[in-house]
Amino acid sequence: MYEEILKASTRIAGRIHTTPVQTSAAADAWAGKQLFFKCENFQKTGSFKARGALNAVLKAKDENPKLKGVVTHSSGNHGQALAWAARQAQLQCTVVVPEGSPLVKCNAIQSYGAELIYCAPNPQARYFITEKIVAEFAFLFVPSSDHHDVIAGQGTIATEFLSQVPDLDAILVPISGGGMTSGIAVAAKNIRPETKVFAVEPEGKDLQASLMAEQRLWKGEPKFLDTIADGIRLQQVDHLTFPLLCKYAESTVFSASDEEMVSAMKFIWQQMKIVVEVSSSAGLAAAVSSRMKEVMPELKKIGVILCGGNVDIDKLPW
């Protein structure tokens, strides 16, 4: 997988932004550690998702020049990214989104030329409609995380980050399906094995138990968590990402409540003057948590992934 990440870096170079790393003395004081914020909220389409989507689309078109289009289901950020990537590759794109998705994200998907189809707010409805579109139009399904080329694209965050700050002790990554976290973990462990990669989840995901057991302990069908962080509300990580997480990421997982994420989000807006969505604040919430101080006191230089900035400013959570 690391070789695929390096190929992805070459494939998408020149089409995406090299995102900056920001620091904050106030954040360092709050955490009691040196924090380095990787600003993927400044990425094309406003989130890290552009990396994986573009890598998958460009590779697919290279392998199949007759490809007509692509389809996905997404709560917003991946949908925007795939719509943008499809336009880059001159392909059609359809995005299935659950009812109630942030309007700012839905409008952006359409602004990139994609067709938007709404579905019931549950994973099963998204899967059903997406499969119908694949069958009817022969479009390629590009999931938000459970795809090797998407994972490889997200892994370029770490190759870039560790070239900017080579001696990070740890990287904190908000997690939903696990594409970004697994890609970063694979890359980081190959570049600097001593760098620890931690997933940061919304409360209720219970990822740590599964990682420690190295088996999927979730029962029943996938579902959405009841969290304000719409970008990371998927309860279960995906099937391709899970074994990569078990092998390359730390089994310790940090959980953040809605209140903790909103507090961290407000800090980033007020103190750092950076627009981020709630999901992006999960890493800072973990960095300043009492649990971080208790279980990982030796960590001094910590990378925090600000994964996206697609927030509806008419509906801020405070």
Side-chain angles (χ1 to χ4, degrees), residues 119-131:
C119 69
N122 62 73
Q124 289 71 38
R126 302 202 307 185
Y127 302 152
F128 176 74
I129 294 177
T130 301
E131 289 171 358

Side-chain angles (χ1 to χ4, degrees), residues 13-41:
R15 293 177 179 263
I16 62 162
H17 295 313
T18 298
T19 54
V21 175
Q22 303 281 21
T23 58
S24 164
D28 290 353
W30 189 14
K33 301 177 185 294
Q34 282 186 282
L35 303 183
F36 299 85
F37 296 86
K38 181 62 168 163
C39 296
E40 285 295 297
N41 57 308

Side-chain angles (χ1 to χ4, degrees), residues 121-170:
N122 62 73
Q124 289 71 38
R126 302 202 307 185
Y127 302 152
F128 176 74
I129 294 177
T130 301
E131 289 171 358
K132 285 183 63 177
I133 294 168
V134 169
E136 184 174 352
F137 298 103
F139 281 9
L140 174 69
F141 172 48
V142 182
S144 62
S145 57
D146 212 29
H147 191 290
H148 286 300
D149 298 330
V150 171
I151 295 169
Q154 319 305 24
T156 65
I157 299 170
T159 61
E160 195 174 285
F161 201 178
L162 287 170
S163 71
Q164 295 165 313
V165 190
D167 56 345
L168 289 173
D169 294 322

Side-chain angles (χ1 to χ4, degrees), residues 22 64 168 189 234 271:
Q22 303 281 21
N64 178 15
L168 289 173
K189 289 302 179 183
L234 193 62
Q271 299 294 323

Side-chain angles (χ1 to χ4, degrees), residues 44-181:
K44 296 284 190 179
T45 75
S47 86
F48 76 96
K49 295 285 191 179
R51 295 175 182 266
L54 184 62
N55 184 55
V57 166
L58 292 180
K59 185 179 177 185
K61 188 172 182 182
D62 183 57
E63 293 174 346
N64 178 15
K66 295 183 179 180
L67 181 65
K68 296 178 181 178
V70 291
V71 61
T72 195
H73 48 73
S74 167
S75 62
N77 282 342
H78 175 63
Q80 290 180 64
L82 190 67
W84 169 79
R87 191 170 72 175
Q88 297 291 306
Q90 297 182 315
L91 293 172
Q92 298 178 58
C93 180
T94 299
V95 181
V96 179
V97 299
E99 296 169 354
S101 294
L103 185 61
V104 63
K105 297 182 180 181
C106 295
N107 288 343
I109 290 170
Q110 291 178 307
S111 75
Y112 293 120
E115 180 186 10
L116 201 65
I117 297 179
Y118 287 96
C119 69
N122 62 73
Q124 289 71 38
R126 302 202 307 185
Y127 302 152
F128 176 74
I129 294 177
T130 301
E131 289 171 358
K132 285 183 63 177
I133 294 168
V134 169
E136 184 174 352
F137 298 103
F139 281 9
L140 174 69
F141 172 48
V142 182
S144 62
S145 57
D146 212 29
H147 191 290
H148 286 300
D149 298 330
V150 171
I151 295 169
Q154 319 305 24
T156 65
I157 299 170
T159 61
E160 195 174 285
F161 201 178
L162 287 170
S163 71
Q164 295 165 313
V165 190
D167 56 345
L168 289 173
D169 294 322
I171 304 175
L172 297 171
V173 192
I175 189 166
S176 185
M180 175 170 58
T181 311

